[in-house]
Short mmCIF file of all heavy atoms in Angstrom, two decimals:
data_model
loop_
_atom_site.label_atom_id
_atom_site.label_comp_id
_atom_site.label_asym_id
_atom_site.label_seq_id
_atom_site.Cartn_x
_atom_site.Cartn_y
_atom_site.Cartn_z
N PHE A 1 -5.37 8.66 -0.55
CA PHE A 1 -6.53 9.09 -1.33
C PHE A 1 -7.50 7.94 -1.54
O PHE A 1 -8.72 8.13 -1.47
CB PHE A 1 -6.07 9.66 -2.68
CG PHE A 1 -5.80 11.14 -2.65
CD1 PHE A 1 -4.57 11.62 -2.24
CD2 PHE A 1 -6.77 12.04 -3.04
CE1 PHE A 1 -4.32 12.97 -2.21
CE2 PHE A 1 -6.53 13.40 -3.02
CZ PHE A 1 -5.29 13.87 -2.60
N LEU A 2 -6.97 6.75 -1.82
CA LEU A 2 -7.83 5.61 -2.08
C LEU A 2 -8.61 5.21 -0.83
O LEU A 2 -9.80 4.87 -0.91
CB LEU A 2 -7.00 4.43 -2.58
CG LEU A 2 -7.77 3.31 -3.28
CD1 LEU A 2 -8.53 3.85 -4.49
CD2 LEU A 2 -6.81 2.20 -3.71
N THR A 3 -7.98 5.26 0.32
CA THR A 3 -8.70 4.95 1.56
C THR A 3 -9.75 6.00 1.86
O THR A 3 -10.83 5.68 2.39
CB THR A 3 -7.72 4.83 2.74
OG1 THR A 3 -6.95 6.04 2.86
CG2 THR A 3 -6.79 3.66 2.57
N LEU A 4 -9.48 7.25 1.51
CA LEU A 4 -10.48 8.30 1.70
C LEU A 4 -11.70 8.06 0.81
O LEU A 4 -12.84 8.24 1.24
CB LEU A 4 -9.88 9.67 1.39
CG LEU A 4 -8.93 10.26 2.45
CD1 LEU A 4 -8.30 11.54 1.93
CD2 LEU A 4 -9.67 10.52 3.75
N VAL A 5 -11.44 7.62 -0.43
CA VAL A 5 -12.55 7.32 -1.34
C VAL A 5 -13.38 6.17 -0.76
O VAL A 5 -14.62 6.20 -0.79
CB VAL A 5 -12.01 6.95 -2.73
CG1 VAL A 5 -13.13 6.41 -3.61
CG2 VAL A 5 -11.38 8.17 -3.40
N PHE A 6 -12.72 5.16 -0.23
CA PHE A 6 -13.43 4.01 0.33
C PHE A 6 -14.24 4.41 1.56
O PHE A 6 -15.40 4.02 1.71
CB PHE A 6 -12.43 2.91 0.69
CG PHE A 6 -13.06 1.69 1.29
CD1 PHE A 6 -13.70 0.76 0.49
CD2 PHE A 6 -13.00 1.46 2.66
CE1 PHE A 6 -14.29 -0.38 1.03
CE2 PHE A 6 -13.58 0.33 3.22
CZ PHE A 6 -14.23 -0.59 2.40
N VAL A 7 -13.62 5.19 2.44
CA VAL A 7 -14.29 5.56 3.69
C VAL A 7 -15.49 6.47 3.43
O VAL A 7 -16.57 6.29 4.01
CB VAL A 7 -13.29 6.23 4.65
CG1 VAL A 7 -14.01 6.88 5.83
CG2 VAL A 7 -12.29 5.20 5.17
N THR A 8 -15.31 7.45 2.55
CA THR A 8 -16.39 8.40 2.30
C THR A 8 -17.43 7.87 1.32
O THR A 8 -18.63 8.08 1.50
CB THR A 8 -15.82 9.72 1.76
OG1 THR A 8 -15.09 9.45 0.54
CG2 THR A 8 -14.89 10.36 2.77
N GLY A 9 -16.98 7.17 0.27
CA GLY A 9 -17.90 6.72 -0.76
C GLY A 9 -18.59 5.40 -0.47
O GLY A 9 -19.75 5.21 -0.83
N VAL A 10 -17.87 4.47 0.19
CA VAL A 10 -18.43 3.14 0.45
C VAL A 10 -18.98 3.04 1.86
O VAL A 10 -20.12 2.60 2.07
CB VAL A 10 -17.36 2.05 0.21
CG1 VAL A 10 -17.92 0.67 0.54
CG2 VAL A 10 -16.86 2.11 -1.23
N LEU A 11 -18.18 3.43 2.85
CA LEU A 11 -18.64 3.35 4.24
C LEU A 11 -19.56 4.49 4.62
O LEU A 11 -20.23 4.43 5.66
CB LEU A 11 -17.42 3.31 5.18
CG LEU A 11 -16.46 2.13 4.99
CD1 LEU A 11 -15.36 2.18 6.05
CD2 LEU A 11 -17.20 0.79 5.04
N GLY A 12 -19.56 5.55 3.82
CA GLY A 12 -20.45 6.68 4.08
C GLY A 12 -20.04 7.54 5.25
O GLY A 12 -20.86 8.28 5.81
N ILE A 13 -18.76 7.50 5.63
CA ILE A 13 -18.26 8.34 6.72
C ILE A 13 -17.79 9.66 6.12
O ILE A 13 -16.78 9.71 5.42
CB ILE A 13 -17.11 7.64 7.47
CG1 ILE A 13 -17.58 6.29 8.01
CG2 ILE A 13 -16.60 8.51 8.61
CD1 ILE A 13 -16.47 5.49 8.68
N LYS A 14 -18.50 10.71 6.41
CA LYS A 14 -18.19 12.01 5.83
C LYS A 14 -17.34 12.85 6.79
O LYS A 14 -17.28 12.59 7.98
CB LYS A 14 -19.49 12.77 5.50
CG LYS A 14 -20.46 11.97 4.62
CD LYS A 14 -19.85 11.63 3.27
CE LYS A 14 -20.84 10.89 2.38
NZ LYS A 14 -20.28 10.51 1.08
N ASN A 15 -16.72 13.88 6.22
CA ASN A 15 -15.98 14.84 7.04
C ASN A 15 -14.94 14.15 7.91
O ASN A 15 -14.91 14.27 9.12
CB ASN A 15 -16.97 15.59 7.95
CG ASN A 15 -16.69 17.08 7.97
OD1 ASN A 15 -15.75 17.55 7.33
ND2 ASN A 15 -17.52 17.80 8.68
N VAL A 16 -14.03 13.41 7.28
CA VAL A 16 -13.09 12.58 8.03
C VAL A 16 -11.90 13.36 8.58
O VAL A 16 -11.11 12.81 9.34
CB VAL A 16 -12.58 11.42 7.15
CG1 VAL A 16 -13.72 10.49 6.79
CG2 VAL A 16 -11.90 11.94 5.90
N GLY A 17 -11.74 14.61 8.19
CA GLY A 17 -10.71 15.42 8.81
C GLY A 17 -9.36 15.40 8.12
O GLY A 17 -8.46 16.12 8.52
N TRP A 18 -9.18 14.56 7.10
CA TRP A 18 -7.92 14.55 6.37
C TRP A 18 -8.01 15.53 5.21
O TRP A 18 -9.02 15.61 4.53
CB TRP A 18 -7.63 13.16 5.83
CG TRP A 18 -6.98 12.26 6.83
CD1 TRP A 18 -6.90 12.45 8.18
CD2 TRP A 18 -6.34 11.02 6.57
NE1 TRP A 18 -6.27 11.42 8.76
CE2 TRP A 18 -5.90 10.51 7.81
CE3 TRP A 18 -6.10 10.28 5.42
CZ2 TRP A 18 -5.22 9.31 7.94
CZ3 TRP A 18 -5.44 9.08 5.53
CH2 TRP A 18 -4.99 8.60 6.77
N THR A 19 -6.99 16.30 4.97
CA THR A 19 -6.96 17.24 3.87
C THR A 19 -5.93 16.79 2.84
O THR A 19 -4.90 16.22 3.21
CB THR A 19 -6.59 18.65 4.38
OG1 THR A 19 -5.36 18.57 5.10
CG2 THR A 19 -7.68 19.19 5.29
N PRO A 20 -6.13 17.01 1.54
CA PRO A 20 -7.34 17.61 0.99
C PRO A 20 -8.52 16.66 1.01
O PRO A 20 -8.35 15.46 0.95
CB PRO A 20 -6.94 17.94 -0.45
CG PRO A 20 -5.89 16.92 -0.78
CD PRO A 20 -5.14 16.67 0.50
N ALA A 21 -9.71 17.22 1.08
CA ALA A 21 -10.92 16.39 1.13
C ALA A 21 -11.16 15.74 -0.22
O ALA A 21 -10.76 16.24 -1.27
CB ALA A 21 -12.13 17.24 1.54
N VAL A 22 -11.84 14.61 -0.19
CA VAL A 22 -12.19 13.92 -1.43
C VAL A 22 -13.37 14.64 -2.06
O VAL A 22 -14.42 14.77 -1.46
CB VAL A 22 -12.55 12.45 -1.15
CG1 VAL A 22 -13.03 11.77 -2.42
CG2 VAL A 22 -11.34 11.73 -0.57
N GLY A 23 -13.20 15.11 -3.26
CA GLY A 23 -14.25 15.87 -3.93
C GLY A 23 -14.53 15.33 -5.32
O GLY A 23 -14.15 14.22 -5.67
N ASN A 24 -15.18 16.14 -6.12
CA ASN A 24 -15.56 15.71 -7.46
C ASN A 24 -14.35 15.45 -8.34
O ASN A 24 -14.41 14.64 -9.26
CB ASN A 24 -16.46 16.77 -8.11
CG ASN A 24 -17.81 16.88 -7.40
OD1 ASN A 24 -18.30 15.89 -6.86
ND2 ASN A 24 -18.38 18.07 -7.41
N ASP A 25 -13.23 16.17 -8.09
CA ASP A 25 -12.05 15.95 -8.92
C ASP A 25 -11.50 14.54 -8.74
O ASP A 25 -11.03 13.92 -9.70
CB ASP A 25 -10.97 16.98 -8.60
CG ASP A 25 -10.53 16.92 -7.13
OD1 ASP A 25 -11.37 16.56 -6.28
OD2 ASP A 25 -9.36 17.22 -6.86
N ILE A 26 -11.58 14.02 -7.52
CA ILE A 26 -11.13 12.65 -7.29
C ILE A 26 -12.10 11.66 -7.92
O ILE A 26 -11.69 10.69 -8.57
CB ILE A 26 -11.00 12.37 -5.78
CG1 ILE A 26 -9.94 13.28 -5.16
CG2 ILE A 26 -10.65 10.91 -5.53
CD1 ILE A 26 -8.55 13.07 -5.72
N ASN A 27 -13.39 11.89 -7.76
CA ASN A 27 -14.38 10.97 -8.33
C ASN A 27 -14.27 10.92 -9.85
O ASN A 27 -14.45 9.86 -10.46
CB ASN A 27 -15.78 11.40 -7.91
CG ASN A 27 -15.99 11.28 -6.40
OD1 ASN A 27 -15.42 10.39 -5.79
ND2 ASN A 27 -16.79 12.15 -5.84
N ALA A 28 -13.99 12.06 -10.46
CA ALA A 28 -13.87 12.11 -11.91
C ALA A 28 -12.61 11.40 -12.39
O ALA A 28 -12.54 10.95 -13.55
CB ALA A 28 -13.86 13.56 -12.40
N ASN A 29 -11.61 11.30 -11.54
CA ASN A 29 -10.34 10.67 -11.92
C ASN A 29 -10.09 9.38 -11.15
O ASN A 29 -8.95 8.99 -10.94
CB ASN A 29 -9.18 11.65 -11.68
CG ASN A 29 -9.22 12.84 -12.59
OD1 ASN A 29 -8.82 12.77 -13.75
ND2 ASN A 29 -9.72 13.97 -12.09
N LEU A 30 -11.17 8.74 -10.72
CA LEU A 30 -11.04 7.54 -9.92
C LEU A 30 -10.32 6.43 -10.69
O LEU A 30 -9.52 5.68 -10.12
CB LEU A 30 -12.42 7.05 -9.47
CG LEU A 30 -12.45 5.93 -8.44
CD1 LEU A 30 -11.68 6.31 -7.20
CD2 LEU A 30 -13.90 5.58 -8.09
N GLY A 31 -10.58 6.34 -11.99
CA GLY A 31 -9.90 5.33 -12.80
C GLY A 31 -8.40 5.53 -12.79
O GLY A 31 -7.63 4.57 -12.65
N ASN A 32 -7.96 6.79 -12.95
CA ASN A 32 -6.52 7.07 -12.91
C ASN A 32 -5.92 6.75 -11.55
O ASN A 32 -4.78 6.28 -11.46
CB ASN A 32 -6.28 8.54 -13.26
CG ASN A 32 -6.63 8.87 -14.69
OD1 ASN A 32 -6.53 8.02 -15.57
ND2 ASN A 32 -7.06 10.11 -14.94
N LEU A 33 -6.70 7.00 -10.49
CA LEU A 33 -6.23 6.68 -9.15
C LEU A 33 -6.02 5.18 -8.99
O LEU A 33 -5.01 4.74 -8.42
CB LEU A 33 -7.22 7.19 -8.11
CG LEU A 33 -6.89 6.91 -6.64
CD1 LEU A 33 -5.55 7.51 -6.26
CD2 LEU A 33 -8.00 7.43 -5.73
N PHE A 34 -6.94 4.38 -9.50
CA PHE A 34 -6.80 2.92 -9.43
C PHE A 34 -5.59 2.45 -10.24
O PHE A 34 -4.89 1.50 -9.84
CB PHE A 34 -8.06 2.23 -9.93
CG PHE A 34 -9.17 2.18 -8.91
CD1 PHE A 34 -10.45 2.58 -9.25
CD2 PHE A 34 -8.93 1.74 -7.62
CE1 PHE A 34 -11.48 2.52 -8.31
CE2 PHE A 34 -9.95 1.68 -6.68
CZ PHE A 34 -11.23 2.08 -7.02
N ILE A 35 -5.35 3.10 -11.38
CA ILE A 35 -4.19 2.72 -12.19
C ILE A 35 -2.90 3.04 -11.46
O ILE A 35 -1.98 2.20 -11.39
CB ILE A 35 -4.23 3.44 -13.55
CG1 ILE A 35 -5.38 2.90 -14.41
CG2 ILE A 35 -2.91 3.27 -14.29
CD1 ILE A 35 -5.55 3.62 -15.73
N VAL A 36 -2.82 4.24 -10.89
CA VAL A 36 -1.61 4.63 -10.15
C VAL A 36 -1.37 3.67 -8.99
O VAL A 36 -0.25 3.19 -8.77
CB VAL A 36 -1.74 6.08 -9.65
CG1 VAL A 36 -0.63 6.42 -8.67
CG2 VAL A 36 -1.72 7.05 -10.82
#
């Protein structure tokens, strides 16, 4: 999940083909993801 956030949010590579896709639920819980 963290690499998906980096690839889509930082590198701007969209539609990477891995499921589940990174969406608003991940962005809203990004802090929890970093803690985990």
